[in-house]
Amino acid sequence: MITSVQNSKVKEWNKLKKKKDRERTNSFLVEGNHLVQEAYDSNWNIKEIIIEEGTVLPSWLGNKDVTYVSDHVFKSITDTKTPQGIAAVVEMKEPSQQELNRIVILDTVQDPGNLGTIIRTADAAGFDAIILGDGTVDLYNEKVIRSTQGSVFHLPIFQKNLHNEIPSLKERAFQVWASTLEGAKAYTNLPIPDKVALIVGNEGSGIQPSIIDLADEKVHIPIYGQAESLNVSVATGILLYHIANQKK
């Protein structure tokens, strides 16, 4: 039982809230029954299980070793208002290369909730992979992980330089769509190709012009009311499901 926030283990767990320390240790922290079980069921390497005193161990944990901590120690390492008494340190995992036909690409999306929601939606819509461009919020940010609701463990997610990656996708017969307002066609007016990569952009400035120039098609979602634009995760969800429905 660890009872002090000055314990060396506790200090290391808290360091995982910073990107540089996640990268240094190649690991990140998840909390809550659902996320820890998703990591476990998806065969990600769980380096440590942390249990708050008085918490009943989930049956799926089996004989896995756990570290018990006091209430105030557990609260010091978690960010949720009502923690569920379980957290885990998970090792980052290199995404596997596989046959891909449907990809979503994020260019400088900076809100953790938006990134997490897009990952969750891409998973639900049956997309094959996600590519994060430079300037996009860190995948292992705790708010991103929570927002994915476990989908971060289901999909290959790559970090790439988009100026290099998009031409490579086109060489592999992908048609690349950029979600933008200017000079774009309504998304419903375009046939869905066999292999498509959809780019979505920053919450305020959209996709970088140099990235838009690499796309085969510019697409937009019509606005019927007075709103200037849609939230990026909402717009992405509409486009992902449109593409997914055409696949069926």
Side-chain angles (χ1 to χ4, degrees), residues 33-46 59-61 93 150 153-154:
N33 283 300
H34 177 66
L35 284 175
V36 177
Q37 185 173 4
E38 286 289 345
Y40 181 88
D41 290 345
S42 302
N43 295 316
W44 283 53
N45 180 33
I46 296 179
S59 58
W60 50 264
L61 267 182
K93 188 176 182 179
F153 302 117
H154 304 160

Side-chain angles (χ1 to χ4, degrees), residues 226-247:
Q226 297 182 56
E228 189 176 276
S229 63
L230 289 168
N231 169 276
V232 64
S233 61
V234 172
T236 303
I238 292 169
L239 294 171
L240 295 187
Y241 265 86
H242 174 69
I243 292 168
N245 286 335
Q246 294 296 315
K247 184 181 176 183

Side-chain angles (χ1 to χ4, degrees), residues 17-241:
K17 295 174 182 178
K18 295 180 179 178
K19 181 180 178 180
K20 67 176 184 178
D21 289 298
R22 292 194 290 267
E23 291 177 342
R24 173 179 59 83
T25 60
N26 198 42
S27 56
F28 60 103
L29 194 69
V30 300
E31 58 177 286
N33 283 300
H34 177 66
L35 284 175
V36 177
Q37 185 173 4
E38 286 289 345
Y40 181 88
D41 290 345
S42 302
N43 295 316
W44 283 53
N45 180 33
I46 296 179
K47 299 166 82 169
E48 289 185 282
I49 298 279
I50 306 156
I51 298 291
E52 182 181 11
E53 62 178 328
T55 299
V56 177
L57 286 180
S59 58
W60 50 264
L61 267 182
N63 296 321
K64 200 162 184 68
D65 289 339
V66 301
T67 299
Y68 286 93
V69 300
S70 63
D71 291 354
H72 75 280
V73 168
F74 194 81
K75 287 180 174 62
S76 78
I77 65 169
T78 56
D79 289 313
T80 53
K81 291 181 179 177
T82 53
Q84 297 173 355
I86 182 170
V89 178
V90 182
E91 184 178 5
M92 295 177 186
K93 188 176 182 179
E94 280 295 314
S96 58
Q97 299 287 342
Q98 53 190 266
E99 181 64 28
L100 305 174
N101 295 301
R102 300 282 191 269
I103 298 174
V104 59
I105 300 172
L106 286 81
D107 176 37
T108 62
V109 171
Q110 294 179 334
D111 181 84
N114 282 335
L115 174 55
T117 300
I118 290 170
I119 291 170
R120 184 179 180 184
T121 307
D123 183 16
F127 267 58
D128 301 314
I130 294 167
I131 296 173
L132 308 181
D134 299 335
T136 294
V137 63
D138 181 34
L139 172 62
Y140 297 107
N141 175 295
E142 62 271 15
K143 292 179 182 177
V144 174
I145 297 296
R146 279 204 302 274
S147 296
T148 71
Q149 283 295 299
S151 290
V152 68
F153 302 117
H154 304 160
L155 282 171
I157 302 174
F158 302 90
Q159 303 268 355
K160 300 284 186 179
N161 178 292
L162 300 187
H163 290 95
N164 298 329
E165 184 64 17
I166 291 170
S168 173
L169 289 172
K170 292 166 78 170
E171 288 174 4
R172 285 147 53 199
F174 275 88
Q175 187 175 109
V176 179
W177 288 10
S179 174
T180 185
L181 294 174
E182 294 184 13
K185 300 173 184 174
Y187 74 97
T188 50
N189 292 341
L190 288 171
I192 308 296
D194 291 335
K195 301 179 78 168
V196 61
L198 171 70
I199 313 169
V200 297
N202 178 268
E203 291 85 350
S205 56
I207 303 168
Q208 299 174 72
S210 58
I211 299 293
I212 293 176
D213 289 343
L214 296 173
D216 298 301
E217 295 283 0
K218 302 174 189 175
V219 301
H220 77 96
I221 300 168
I223 301 290
Y224 300 115
Q226 297 182 56
E228 189 176 276
S229 63
L230 289 168
N231 169 276
V232 64
S233 61
V234 172
T236 303
I238 292 169
L239 294 171
L240 295 187
Y241 265 86

